[in-house]
Amino acid sequence: MKVDTDGPLYDLARVKALAANEDQILLWTAKCRKDVLNLFESDLVQVAELIQALTTADYIDSEWCENGQGALAACDAYRIRRQETIPATGRSMTVSYFVKFAIGKTGRLVLMVSCHV
């Protein structure tokens, strides 16, 4: 469900500052944990690098997201396209990543709700 807003809920510079320390990233949903495991072998450093690469132009919208245990968070959704070399083929291709996140109530964690291609 969309949040009624004209732009991102969270200042991207603040999110990037928090995510600079991977210990401040919490994979908030079971699906996000599974997706990060599949994409990055649960390497939060790579998740942090993905967040660091986001720009305001990557913003899609803001949405209410549920963590599977009844808790809700108002999240910003972004899509980033990156050139990556695919290990199996050695070829370069554009990969689109979709991420959704919120800043936790304490203001000290980035709650990753979604991270997938």
Side-chain angles (χ1 to χ4, degrees):
M1 179 170 58
K2 303 273 190 247
V3 174
D4 188 19
T5 181
D6 291 331
L9 299 168
Y10 306 101
D11 177 66
L12 189 55
R14 182 169 177 227
V15 171
K16 287 181 176 188
L18 285 170
N21 177 351
E22 68 272 7
D23 292 336
Q24 293 180 287
I25 299 173
L26 174 65
L27 303 180
W28 201 54
T29 67
K31 181 169 181 343
C32 185
R33 287 188 292 277
K34 180 180 174 186
D35 289 342
V36 167
L37 175 65
N38 289 335
L39 290 171
F40 306 119
E41 297 178 358
S42 290
D43 185 353
L44 290 182
V45 171
Q46 290 183 31
V47 175
E49 289 170 355
L50 188 65
I51 292 171
Q52 295 303 321
L54 293 173
T55 69
T56 55
D58 299 320
Y59 174 75
I60 300 170
D61 63 11
S62 298
E63 306 171 9
W64 285 104
C65 298
E66 200 260 330
N67 73 344
Q69 299 176 1
L72 287 172
C75 296
D76 287 337
Y78 285 77
R79 178 185 63 206
I80 183 171
R81 293 183 178 118
R82 302 193 314 182
Q83 282 299 120
E84 295 186 3
T85 300
I86 306 306
T89 65
R91 292 188 171 188
S92 180
M93 68 179 287
T94 302
V95 178
S96 292
Y97 290 92
F98 295 88
V99 295
K100 285 186 213 171
F101 53 78
I103 294 178
K105 330 185 235 199
T106 65
R108 295 187 305 225
L109 289 174
V110 175
L111 307 177
M112 293 293 296
V113 173
S114 182
C115 182
H116 60 92
V117 291

